[in-house]
Amino acid sequence: MSIAKTPKPPYFAAIFTAIATEMQEGYADTVQRMHELAQEAPGFLGMESAGDDFEITVSYWQDEESIFHWKQNASHQIAQELDKTKWYKAYQVRVSRVEREYGFKTG
Amino acid sequence: MSIAKTPKPPYFAAIFTAIATEMQEGYADTVQRMHELAQEAPGFLGMESAGDDFEITVSYWQDEESIFHWKQNASHQIAQELDKTKWYKAYQVRVSRVEREYGFKTG
C-alpha cells in the first residue's frame, strides 16, 4: 500500500472505518475485487487501506456523484458477498470534501 | 480502537496517511501522547487509527480552525519527537469537510 497520488484539491474522500468480526473467510478476496472495481469506476482517484480487526479505508474521488455511483455499482455487483452482518460488527462511512493538503516525502 | 462517535455533519476530518521507516523506537509513546493531547484540544471530536508500516489516522474536528490550532500546538509541544525524517519515509495530511455519513452497528 502506498500514499495515493491525488490531484490538487478540491476532490472528495470516502472515509470507511470498520470493526471486523472473527469470521473473515473470503474477505481479503472481496476487498481485492472491490479495489479493482474502484479503479475502473468513473471519477476514481486513489485508495488507501490499513488495519485488520480495526480497518480504515479511504478512497478518493473527483466529485460526490462518483462516490454515489461507485456505491450503487459495487453494492450491485458483489452484494451477496458484502454481507455486513457476517464481516463487520460495525462500520461508518464519512463522505468528505478535501479542501487542502500537505505532505512530506524523502528522496 | 473503536469508531469515533462524531456529531451530525458538517464537521472536519484530518486524514493522515504515512509510510513508516524501520526506526520506530519511541514512536508508540509519542503517538499515545499526541492522542492524549488531541483529546484536550478545543474542537476535538474523535480519532481513529489503523496500520503499522502503512498507517492511517483520521482525527475529527469541529472546524478548520481547531485543526490549525491543534497542528500548531502539537508541533510546538512535541516538536523534537516529531522527527519526520526519522519515523516517516512519506506522509500526507488531507484536511476535509465531512458532508454526510452513514453506518451500521450490530447489537
Side-chain angles (χ1 to χ4, degrees):
Chain A
M1 189 57 60
S2 60
I3 295 173
K5 283 177 184 58
T6 41
K8 220 180 138 206
Y11 54 86
F12 284 77
I15 307 164
F16 173 85
T17 37
I19 298 169
T21 60
E22 270 94 70
M23 206 195 297
Q24 293 298 299
E25 199 189 333
Y27 179 68
D29 286 349
T30 301
V31 167
Q32 178 60 28
R33 193 119 45 98
M34 287 196 67
H35 284 208
E36 285 164 14
L37 278 175
Q39 268 155 53
E40 293 161 13
F44 177 78
L45 300 175
M47 188 179 271
E48 296 159 343
S49 194
D52 31 62
D53 294 351
F54 185 75
E55 175 197 339
I56 304 181
T57 295
V58 188
S59 56
Y60 301 102
W61 303 85
Q62 224 158 57
D63 45 45
E64 273 203 87
E65 289 68 35
S66 304
I67 297 179
F68 183 75
H69 288 139
W70 156 244
K71 188 182 172 230
Q72 300 297 104
N73 187 47
S75 305
H76 183 70
Q77 290 203 40
I78 48 176
Q80 71 280 19
E81 302 168 71
L82 278 174
D83 186 350
K84 60 191 180 187
T85 60
K86 181 180 160 195
W87 281 333
Y88 296 120
K89 287 180 192 160
Y91 70 68
Q92 193 73 6
V93 180
R94 293 175 172 101
V95 176
S96 72
R97 184 180 189 272
V98 178
E99 312 273 3
R100 58 190 173 87
E101 64 180 320
Y102 55 92
F104 155 83
K105 202 176 164 182
T106 50
Chain B
M1 189 57 60
S2 60
I3 295 173
K5 283 177 184 59
T6 42
K8 220 178 140 210
Y11 54 87
F12 283 77
I15 307 164
F16 173 85
T17 37
I19 298 169
T21 61
E22 270 94 71
M23 207 196 296
Q24 293 298 298
E25 198 191 334
Y27 179 67
D29 286 349
T30 301
V31 168
Q32 178 60 29
R33 193 117 47 98
M34 286 196 67
H35 283 210
E36 285 165 14
L37 279 174
Q39 268 155 55
E40 293 161 12
F44 177 77
L45 300 174
M47 189 179 272
E48 295 159 343
S49 195
D52 30 62
D53 293 352
F54 185 74
E55 175 197 340
I56 303 180
T57 296
V58 188
S59 56
Y60 301 103
W61 303 86
Q62 225 158 58
D63 46 44
E64 273 203 88
E65 289 67 35
S66 304
I67 297 179
F68 183 75
H69 288 138
W70 157 244
K71 188 183 173 230
Q72 301 296 105
N73 187 47
S75 305
H76 182 71
Q77 290 202 41
I78 48 175
Q80 72 281 18
E81 301 167 72
L82 279 173
D83 186 349
K84 59 190 181 188
T85 60
K86 181 180 159 193
W87 282 331
Y88 296 119
K89 285 180 191 159
Y91 70 68
Q92 193 73 7
V93 179
R94 293 174 173 101
V95 176
S96 72
R97 184 181 188 271
V98 178
E99 312 273 3
R100 58 190 173 86
E101 62 181 319
Y102 55 92
F104 155 84
K105 202 177 163 181
T106 50

